[in-house]
Amino acid sequence: MNLTEQQIATYHTEGFLIIPQCLTHNEIELLSKELPMTIDRDSPRIVLEDNGAVRSVFAPHFVNETYLKLSKLKRFVQPSEQLIGNSLYLHQYKINTKKGLKGDWWEWHQDFPYWHYDDGIKEPDLVNVMIYLQDTDSSNGALMLIPKSHQIGIAKFADKTNASTSRAAKYSDHLKKNDYASSLNSDIKFTVDHDLLKSLASQNGIFTASGTRGTVVFFHSNLFHASNVNLTPFDRDAVLITYNSTANLPESVSYPRPDYLSGKDYCPITDLQSSLL
Ligand code: 6CS
Ligand code: FE
């Protein structure tokens, strides 16, 4: 699947691009059937909500062939190469399982600050590919976005610590103890300053990326985004694949995060797949 010039322009202006029905019914059925096989609750790859429900499953491709093939689908890699303008490798891969009545929120944030400060990636030349495995809307925690917000680069952070020092430097301490929770839980460390959020939301509005199962949202690593709790009794599983340019490899950081959070296979993605089946 190749994007048109118009679609590429839309992505660079708005910061996101939605492709409905990007996966077939049978492909989605297979992903849903195999999702439980990616979960080993004793593994550090699994992040839990405070209430014990699974919040995220990192690196499902480490343990499951179908999810490995998903990360190599032509339908994702080729458009992402067009958007980034370079060959790509897999930087991060997770399933954010927002369980029925238990799945918590994601506060307004950008992804790139985590990949810049925690993983040492210099430029925001990464793209997120988000796939809905169920019909998703505002009732069960669809992705909320502020269009064009990626254009300002790394935003001013909300001050959660009323620290006078630079927050990023302060928070790197968390990495010393292999404590990644403040990047992955429902109280994440780098969130957007509320005055800035209000100003951009007033200018550009807040868009809720609703879509039927199989919808794919490509979005920029600096785009402001959030998602609400899941108030329905039904699960809302979203797969997020993050590709990084092979010309933008991480520089060394004091406390490197493990490979399930920050991919270490920097080879360009090959053996592209046409289908999951
Ligand atoms: O730390 C990370 O890599 C993860 N944390 C957030 C809040 N978004 C990006 C990524 O999934
Ligand atoms: Fe995010």
Side-chain angles (χ1 to χ4, degrees):
M1 172 183 88
N2 276 319
L3 300 176
T4 64
E5 287 309 312
Q6 174 58 46
Q7 287 175 311
I8 294 169
T10 298
Y11 174 85
H12 288 302
T13 304
E14 300 301 319
F16 67 100
L17 178 70
I18 299 177
I19 309 284
Q21 297 166 331
C22 196
L23 290 173
T24 67
H25 171 81
N26 289 342
E27 287 176 322
I28 300 161
E29 286 295 300
L30 181 60
L31 287 166
S32 296
K33 184 169 76 63
E34 303 218 350
L35 197 164
M37 301 171 203
T38 67
I39 299 173
D40 163 7
R41 290 178 76 97
D42 298 329
S43 163
R45 293 186 304 105
I46 310 303
V47 178
L48 300 178
E49 304 283 13
D50 294 345
N51 58 31
V54 173
R55 178 178 174 85
S56 297
V57 179
F58 280 90
H61 62 308
F62 282 7
V63 295
N64 183 277
E65 211 41 47
T66 299
Y67 278 87
L68 176 62
K69 282 178 79 171
L70 183 73
S71 70
K72 295 171 179 282
L73 274 187
K74 279 183 191 158
R75 270 167 281 170
F76 299 157
V77 177
Q78 288 174 338
S80 297
E81 286 174 336
Q82 287 180 280
L83 295 173
I84 299 294
N86 201 69
S87 62
L88 303 169
Y89 74 95
L90 187 61
H91 170 61
Q92 190 172 94
Y93 190 178
K94 58 192 175 283
I95 308 166
N96 281 349
T97 54
K98 206 181 274 274
K99 292 298 178 197
L101 297 173
K102 292 191 169 179
D104 209 336
W105 71 342
W106 287 88
E107 293 179 84
W108 284 102
H109 67 282
Q110 299 168 301
D111 289 344
F112 180 57
Y114 296 87
W115 300 332
H116 182 65
Y117 292 117
D118 289 358
D119 299 332
I121 292 179
K122 210 159 164 25
E123 302 298 333
D125 297 342
L126 305 100
V127 55
N128 285 312
V129 182
M130 184 172 196
I131 306 125
Y132 290 149
L133 297 189
Q134 291 90 6
D135 294 352
T136 302
D137 60 29
S138 55
S139 67
N140 60 353
L143 192 65
M144 297 164 63
L145 309 160
I146 298 189
K148 303 187 175 67
S149 53
H150 65 300
Q151 294 180 12
I152 69 164
I154 292 184
K156 181 181 178 197
F157 297 142
D159 188 348
K160 290 186 157 185
T161 61
N162 46 58
S164 53
T165 55
S166 120
R167 289 166 44 74
K170 184 170 178 55
Y171 268 98
S172 67
D173 293 354
H174 276 241
L175 296 174
K176 281 179 190 153
K177 304 184 289 292
N178 295 342
D179 169 11
Y180 313 119
S182 61
S183 298
L184 311 176
N185 63 19
S186 56
D187 182 18
I188 47 177
K189 59 190 181 184
F190 301 147
T191 57
V192 178
D193 170 77
H194 289 179
D195 292 336
L196 174 61
L197 188 68
K198 188 170 183 179
S199 145
L200 282 187
S202 309
Q203 278 173 47
N204 304 337
I206 292 177
F207 176 78
T208 298
S210 297
T212 54
R213 61 198 305 237
T215 293
V216 171
V217 184
F218 292 82
F219 67 97
H220 192 282
S221 62
N222 265 332
L223 191 72
F224 292 12
H225 60 288
S227 64
N228 244 318
V229 302
N230 180 359
L231 279 175
T232 74
F234 311 109
D235 295 349
R236 184 238 63 179
D237 301 312
V239 183
L240 282 116
I241 305 170
T242 302
Y243 299 113
N244 184 24
S245 166
T246 53
N248 188 37
L249 300 186
E251 298 182 350
S252 68
V253 288
S254 313
Y255 309 99
R257 295 199 298 179
D259 57 358
Y260 62 86
L261 291 178
S262 177
K264 303 285 186 288
D265 177 357
Y266 303 135
C267 299
I269 297 173
T270 54
D271 60 323
L272 297 187
Q273 304 292 309
S274 301
S275 164
L276 275 193
L277 308 176

